[in-house]
């Protein structure tokens, strides 16, 4: 599988700044901490994964997680030997496997006529300690046992990119009709649309040559929003460096911007009537001065795009209809990267660059 990739020179890009340094031991977990606001308040459980799991299931960074219908939780990471970890709902790790996605970053669940599949997004970026590399990324469709169905490689192979355009995708999502949307968040900042079999359809978005309110600047995540019905589905794309989400029609027409000032938001996750997202960084005084700026938290938005809770962050305050910038309020998270919403309303938060610690569970307070 590695032969399908080719190496790109240098690491001097904005994406390279997201690499982790040598990871240290985890800080002591806090006890009985409750975070969040309004009806979205949670008790922090940093010991969700039982002690001793790391001996057989080591990790570097926890990137994204999904839950399948038999309640197992699949998580993608970037450890060289076991990039996929499978958890029970109580946090016990059932198994870990995978060595073909060294830049494991995105993980998306697809339901197809009752069968479940996973789309793994390998960004092509990897670093540990003083070593690392950047190469072309790819998307792989697999079954729940890890068997590959097909993969999507560099868009130049279908005429969507010029040969010198970088492809380092960060996330994939599947539309109700089976179309596949890929965001090139560490590469050339476009959204690439394919049909269910991987045939290229169109490209939209981008950072250059588009109006400022439409640009994608670190298109880190993507979701299909069907909260108003499948016939009114839209595409929500993260523009992390611009502290917002952009909404597009399924055929790529810009609709609106959902601003989350102060928060460098990651993947949008839609569950019920709300949108959840991890926040990797914020502009929090003093915390910004620490190595790697561990100023993350999480956010919850309603159907109108209003932040109703910021677990780990400051209380959302709107003045004249505009949200005042959010900051970290509690030292719970270092870098929030993904939120997996469980059926009972609890959250499992995956973190990038968090001292090789497993995900944190947030138990919803009634």
């Amino acid at each position: 599988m590695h032969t399908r990739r080719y190496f790109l020179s240098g690491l001097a890009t904005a994406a390279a700044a997201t690499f982790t340094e040598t990871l240290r031991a985890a800080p002591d977990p806090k006890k009985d901490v409750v975070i969040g606001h309004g009806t979205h308040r949670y008790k922090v459980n940093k010991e969700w994964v039982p002690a001793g799991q790391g001996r057989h299931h080591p990790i570097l960074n926890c990137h994204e997680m999904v839950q399948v219908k038999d309640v197992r939780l699949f998580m993608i990471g970037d450890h060289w030997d076991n990039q996929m970890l499978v958890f029970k709902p109580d946090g016990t790790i059932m198994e870990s496997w995978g060595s073909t996605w060294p830049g494991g970053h995105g993980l998306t669940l697809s339901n197809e006529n009752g069968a479940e599949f996973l789309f793994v997004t390998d960004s092509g970026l990897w670093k540990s300690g003083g070593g690392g590399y950047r190469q072309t990324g790819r998307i792989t469709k697999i079954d729940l046992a890890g068997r590959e169905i097909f993969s999507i490689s560099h868009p130049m192979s279908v005429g969507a990119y010029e040969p010198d355009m970088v492809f380092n995708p960060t996330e994939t999502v599947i539309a109700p009709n089976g179309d596949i949307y890929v965001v090139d968040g560490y590469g050339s900042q476009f959204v690439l649309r394919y049909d269910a079999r991987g045939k290229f359809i169109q490209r939209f978005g981008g950072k250059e040559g588009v109006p400022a309110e439409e640009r994608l600047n670190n298109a880190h995540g993507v979701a299909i929003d069907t909260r108003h019905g499948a016939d009114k589905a839209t595409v929500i794309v993260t523009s992390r460096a611009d502290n917002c989400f952009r909404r597009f029609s399924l055929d790529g027409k810009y609709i609106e911007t959902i601003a989350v000032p102060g928060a460098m938001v990651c993947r949008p996750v839609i569950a019920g009537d709300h949108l959840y997202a991890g926040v990797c960084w914020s502009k929090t005084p003093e915390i910004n001065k620490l190595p790697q700026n561990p100023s993350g938290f999480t956010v919850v938005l309603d159907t109108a795009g209003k932040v109703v809770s910021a677990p780990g962050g400051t209380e959302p305050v709107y003045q004249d209809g505009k949200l005042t910038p959010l900051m970290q309020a509690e030292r719970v998270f270092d870098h929030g990267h993904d939120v997996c919403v469980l059926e009972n309303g609890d959250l499992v938060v995956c973190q990038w660059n968090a001292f090789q610690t497993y995900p944190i569970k947030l138990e919803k307070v009634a």
Side-chain angles (χ1 to χ4, degrees), residues 264-306:
M264 294 192 72
V265 284
C266 294
R267 162 161 77 162
V269 175
I270 294 174
D273 292 330
H274 293 86
L275 182 156
Y276 301 77
V279 175
C280 206
W281 299 280
S282 60
K283 295 181 179 179
T284 306
E286 301 305 318
I287 301 297
N288 294 164
K289 300 176 184 178
L290 298 178
Q292 295 294 317
N293 184 14
S295 56
F297 49 96
T298 57
V299 288
V300 185
L301 289 75
D302 63 16
T303 54
K306 182 178 180 180

Side-chain angles (χ1 to χ4, degrees), residues 67-363:
Q67 186 172 35
V68 300
K69 60 187 176 183
D70 67 9
V71 307
R72 286 180 296 164
L73 296 153
F74 285 73
M75 187 196 77
I76 192 70
D78 53 9
H79 189 275
W80 48 87
D81 280 332
N82 52 324
Q83 289 132 17
M84 190 75 74
L85 276 70
V86 185
F87 297 81
K88 293 181 180 180
D90 65 2
T92 302
I93 302 176
M94 302 173 65
E95 59 178 334
S96 57
W97 41 266
S99 58
T100 60
W101 312 295
H105 188 277
L107 186 64
T108 301
L109 179 64
S110 174
N111 292 284
E112 303 175 18
N113 299 317
E116 293 180 302
F117 298 92
L118 298 172
F119 282 78
V120 179
T121 303
D122 182 342
S123 70
L125 302 181
W126 187 86
K127 184 176 176 67
S128 179
Y133 60 72
R134 174 185 183 127
Q135 61 184 25
T136 289
R138 71 171 181 138
I139 294 86
T140 308
K141 180 181 180 180
I142 62 173
D143 65 16
L144 299 189
R147 292 183 289 260
E148 182 173 334
I149 311 300
F150 67 78
S151 65
I152 296 173
S153 57
H154 199 293
M156 73 174 183
S157 64
V158 293
Y161 275 17
E162 297 298 322
D164 61 345
M165 294 174 67
V166 178
F167 183 55
N168 291 122
T170 45
E171 182 61 74
T172 303
V173 75
I174 314 303
N177 69 348
D179 283 357
I180 304 163
Y181 292 78
V182 177
V183 287
D184 191 9
Y186 290 162
S188 298
Q189 308 300 319
F190 289 102
V191 182
L192 300 150
R193 180 185 174 196
Y194 303 82
D195 71 11
R197 295 185 177 182
K199 180 181 178 182
F200 177 72
I201 299 174
Q202 71 173 131
R203 184 188 87 180
F204 62 90
K207 183 178 179 180
E208 308 295 338
V210 296
E213 66 272 16
E214 298 183 25
R215 76 172 183 175
L216 298 177
N217 189 6
N218 191 191
H220 192 272
V222 61
I224 300 294
D225 189 355
T226 59
R227 287 176 290 178
H228 298 290
D231 59 332
K232 297 180 180 179
T234 55
V235 185
I236 297 181
V237 184
T238 306
S239 186
R240 189 166 71 174
D242 290 333
N243 299 176
C244 69
F245 301 105
R246 313 282 194 199
R247 187 189 299 276
F248 298 87
S249 65
L250 293 179
D251 59 357
K253 295 181 176 61
Y254 171 77
I255 298 173
E256 66 170 342
T257 291
I258 303 169
V260 193
M264 294 192 72
V265 284
C266 294
R267 162 161 77 162
V269 175
I270 294 174
D273 292 330
H274 293 86
L275 182 156
Y276 301 77
V279 175
C280 206
W281 299 280
S282 60
K283 295 181 179 179
T284 306
E286 301 305 318
I287 301 297
N288 294 164
K289 300 176 184 178
L290 298 178
Q292 295 294 317
N293 184 14
S295 56
F297 49 96
T298 57
V299 288
V300 185
L301 289 75
D302 63 16
T303 54
K306 182 178 180 180
V307 178
V308 295
S309 180
T314 50
E315 182 175 2
V317 175
Y318 283 81
Q319 296 179 349
D320 299 323
K322 294 184 177 181
L323 178 65
T324 58
L326 296 169
M327 294 185 292
Q328 186 184 79
E330 297 279 351
R331 291 300 311 278
V332 173
F333 305 107
D334 289 335
H335 305 95
H337 196 274
D338 190 40
V339 177
C340 182
V341 185
L342 306 185
E343 188 174 353
N344 66 353
D346 290 352
L347 311 179
V348 181
V349 181
C350 299
Q351 293 196 82
W352 167 82
N353 199 5
F355 312 122
Q356 292 178 260
T357 52
Y358 290 107
I360 295 172
K361 187 176 185 183
L362 301 184
E363 299 166 352

